[in-house]
Amino acid sequence: MASGNNETAPLYCGSGMDNFHTSYKNMHGYVSLVVCILGTIANTLNIIVLTRREMRSPTNAILTGLAVADLAVMLEYIPYTVHDYILTDSLAREDKLSYSWACFIKFHSIFAQVLHTISIWLTVTLAVWRYIAVGYPQKNRVWCGMRTTIITITTAYVVCVLVVSPSLYLITAIAEFMDQLDAHGKVINSIPLSQYVIDYSNEMQSVTVAALNSTPSFSNESLALNISSMVTTTTSTTTPAPTAPSPVVRNVTVYRLYHSDLALHNASLRNTTFLIYSVVIKLIPCIALTILSVRLILALLEAKRRRKKLTSKPIAATTATATGTTNGTKVLVNGKPAERPRKNSKTLEKEKQTDRTTRMLLAVLLLFLITEFPQGIMGLLNTVLGDAFLMQCYLRLSDLMDILALINSSINFILYCSMSKQFRTTFTLLFRPKFLDKWLPVAQDELAAVRAERSMADKPKLRQQQHQQQQHQPQVVTTTTTNNTTQVTNL
């Protein structure tokens, strides 16, 4: 891994990146708050609609698990963006960096990353399930049944928690600092108070002066946790005083999420964490999704080609059978040319619905790739190029990547409504006010189809209730004797 300890770090991103970061940061809090509120509403509606009995299917079960993870991310991100972006100028320094907020930031760093990883692998599962449904429809019920799907979703939640959270927890700790402020509240100097940070600074000072002038190991943590608020501490322990220093007005005690003592003295642990983030969490799922998306598109085109071939015009026969004519003539059945067997309308409509579902899920996958691939590539570049790239490029784009990920988590509702007829109809039955039927009538065939599916889903429950009622009804027993044989009849 390249080091940022050199006196002259290489230049990867110029002043244009700084200007973009400064201008967008002023808007990020309000934009992300709006996106989180709309995304919370959208994912809540997704869960309500997708969990209806008539919507029960393996694909919708995965989409429900995805919506639950996205909803949790949205709800947790709201207090973070309000505190760190919207209210940041109105809070006192000690309130903005209090111990309780440092605890929340540590929770935020682990929780958000775990839930985001769950979303990633559920999206991969969705692509695999859909490819099997399109490419191997005869094996879909066996390989991708509801029981298998529920087990897969549960496994994704459990494994992601066990893989991601321990590494993030071990490499982070809450460190105490004393910030020296001038009359305008600007930080002049930040002095570490936690003993392990002081010891590490002394160790670095004993090596070289260049190592004293930057603490790159802390900067890497911002990449792993995707927390832009930690950037403020990158010069906390070693930044020299300005050329024209201002007088210190007051000292405040603050708390920041910092590298743990274990991470500061174990570079391999930090590098392993970065590789897990960039390769395992980002790049491998993105590469898998890219391959699966291409295979899905090819399978969809092949399915269309087969369907068109099966429903084509009359064909020419190589031999005459029904009419006894010579080779090359058309086969006649009842005086009419024989046609290929056509599929009934129900089968064709089912296949069209499968195609619509596949196109919708392809849109979900492609949108996911647009937001996740850049993060994986930049994370890998940070591991290879070192801290100069992280400070100059990645951290300045972290807010933009955050908002893209939030939009990706909230826009699925629009995709479902625009591309899934069944989702639209079920949503209409659940939430559409009845008085709108006078001005905006709904197609009755769609309502009838969903009601029929709902009644079919309710039939097993009705049968069970009737069976239970029959078991609890009293039995009247009558006996009759005919030819020395006693007959017992239950009424």
Side-chain angles (χ1 to χ4, degrees):
M1 175 177 174
S3 175
N5 296 340
N6 297 330
E7 294 182 359
T8 57
L11 181 63
Y12 296 107
C13 298
S15 59
M17 188 68 70
D18 292 334
N19 297 334
F20 171 79
H21 171 69
T22 303
S23 59
Y24 176 72
K25 186 177 181 180
N26 297 328
M27 303 184 299
H28 178 74
Y30 299 98
V31 175
S32 59
L33 180 61
V34 172
V35 172
C36 285
I37 293 175
L38 296 178
T40 299
I41 298 173
N43 283 293
T44 302
L45 294 176
N46 286 341
I47 295 171
I48 294 174
V49 174
L50 293 173
T51 52
R52 303 295 297 178
R53 282 190 293 272
E54 61 271 19
M55 296 289 290
R56 182 178 173 85
S57 69
T59 298
N60 288 342
I62 299 175
L63 292 176
T64 303
L66 191 62
V68 170
D70 290 340
L71 176 62
V73 171
M74 295 286 176
L75 292 174
E76 192 272 337
Y77 200 87
I78 290 176
Y80 168 72
T81 191
V82 169
H83 185 280
D84 267 18
Y85 291 92
I86 297 178
L87 300 179
T88 183
D89 295 331
S90 60
L91 294 175
R93 185 75 178 173
E94 56 270 26
D95 295 330
K96 184 164 57 177
L97 298 176
S98 63
Y99 180 79
S100 59
W101 184 249
C103 293
F104 177 82
I105 288 296
K106 184 165 186 176
F107 166 78
H108 166 78
S109 65
I110 300 175
F111 182 83
Q113 194 60 64
V114 168
L115 267 295
H116 197 59
T117 306
I118 291 172
S119 298
I120 292 173
W121 286 104
L122 285 181
T123 306
V124 174
T125 303
L126 184 65
V128 173
W129 257 232
R130 203 63 213 163
Y131 175 71
I132 293 175
V134 174
Y136 305 93
Q138 68 278 7
K139 300 180 180 179
N140 185 40
R141 291 181 177 272
V142 179
W143 292 355
C144 307
M146 183 58 70
R147 183 174 181 273
T148 304
T149 302
I150 297 299
I151 294 175
T152 304
I153 296 172
T154 305
T155 303
Y157 271 82
V158 174
V159 172
C160 288
V161 171
L162 296 179
V163 170
V164 177
S165 56
S167 59
L168 294 180
Y169 182 83
L170 288 175
I171 68 172
T172 60
I174 298 174
E176 184 179 2
F177 290 83
M178 183 179 69
D179 285 357
Q180 297 176 339
L181 310 179
D182 61 10
H184 301 287
K186 184 179 179 180
V187 180
I188 300 174
N189 194 16
S190 188
I191 304 172
L193 300 180
S194 297
Q195 188 60 46
Y196 82 93
V197 180
I198 297 174
D199 294 339
Y200 179 75
S201 298
N202 293 334
E203 292 174 10
M204 298 299 293
Q205 185 178 12
S206 64
V207 178
T208 58
V209 175
L212 178 65
N213 290 333
S214 63
T215 52
S217 59
F218 168 76
S219 303
N220 285 336
E221 182 59 24
S222 299
L223 169 63
L225 305 181
N226 202 13
I227 302 176
S228 59
S229 62
M230 296 172 61
V231 183
T232 58
T233 63
T234 53
T235 59
S236 58
T237 62
T238 59
T239 302
T243 55
S246 303
V248 176
V249 175
R250 67 189 183 103
N251 298 326
V252 296
T253 302
V254 298
Y255 299 88
R256 298 188 181 96
L257 193 62
Y258 203 77
H259 270 307
S260 64
D261 189 26
L262 177 64
L264 289 175
H265 294 89
N266 193 338
S268 61
L269 176 62
R270 298 197 304 269
N271 292 336
T272 301
T273 303
F274 304 149
L275 288 175
I276 290 175
Y277 170 82
S278 60
V279 177
V280 178
I281 296 179
K282 298 292 183 181
L283 288 181
I284 290 179
C286 286
I287 293 172
L289 282 177
T290 302
I291 297 173
L292 287 170
S293 298
V294 173
R295 297 294 297 270
L296 264 176
I297 294 173
L298 295 177
L300 188 62
L301 294 175
E302 177 64 20
K304 285 185 176 182
R305 188 190 65 79
R306 289 198 306 265
R307 184 163 59 250
K308 184 177 181 180
K309 184 177 180 181
L310 289 172
T311 57
S312 61
K313 295 297 182 179
I315 59 172
T318 56
T319 57
T321 56
T323 60
T325 57
T326 58
N327 291 343
T329 60
K330 294 181 179 180
V331 178
L332 300 178
V333 179
N334 296 328
K336 297 181 180 180
E339 296 183 359
R340 292 185 185 275
R342 295 179 179 271
K343 297 184 179 181
N344 57 46
S345 58
K346 185 176 180 181
T347 304
L348 289 176
E349 178 60 28
K350 184 176 180 180
E351 291 183 349
K352 290 179 180 179
Q353 176 63 30
T354 301
D355 291 347
R356 286 195 295 267
T357 303
T358 302
R359 287 195 295 269
M360 177 191 70
L361 299 181
L362 273 174
V364 173
L365 301 182
L366 293 177
L367 181 64
F368 180 86
L369 286 175
I370 292 173
T371 58
E372 296 298 329
F373 233 141
Q375 294 187 48
I377 294 174
M378 292 188 69
L380 186 60
L381 287 176
N382 176 72
T383 306
V384 175
L385 300 178
D387 306 303
F389 178 83
L390 178 130
M391 294 299 298
Q392 297 173 20
C393 304
Y394 186 90
L395 292 180
R396 285 166 173 76
L397 290 174
S398 60
D399 292 341
L400 179 62
M401 289 187 289
D402 277 354
I403 196 63
L404 290 177
L406 292 174
I407 292 175
N408 179 36
S409 298
S410 61
I411 204 173
N412 289 339
F413 176 78
I414 300 176
L415 293 176
Y416 301 160
C417 284
S418 61
M419 305 186 74
S420 176
K421 181 179 178 182
Q422 186 184 21
F423 186 93
R424 287 195 307 269
T425 307
T426 304
F427 177 80
T428 300
L429 286 174
L430 290 174
F431 300 105
R432 180 186 173 93
K434 293 184 178 180
F435 70 86
L436 291 179
D437 294 341
K438 297 180 181 179
W439 295 279
L440 298 173
V442 183
Q444 295 300 316
D445 56 340
E446 294 183 9
L447 295 178
V450 175
R451 290 192 178 104
E453 291 180 2
R454 180 178 296 180
S455 62
M456 291 295 293
D458 290 339
K459 278 184 178 180
K461 186 176 181 180
L462 292 175
R463 292 196 196 98
Q464 184 179 3
Q465 292 177 351
Q466 292 174 358
H467 180 68
Q468 292 177 353
Q469 291 176 358
Q470 291 176 357
Q471 287 181 341
H472 289 85
Q473 285 180 352
Q475 293 183 339
V476 180
V477 181
T478 61
T479 59
T480 57
T481 304
T482 305
N483 298 328
N484 296 327
T485 303
T486 300
Q487 297 179 351
V488 180
T489 306
N490 293 331
L491 301 180

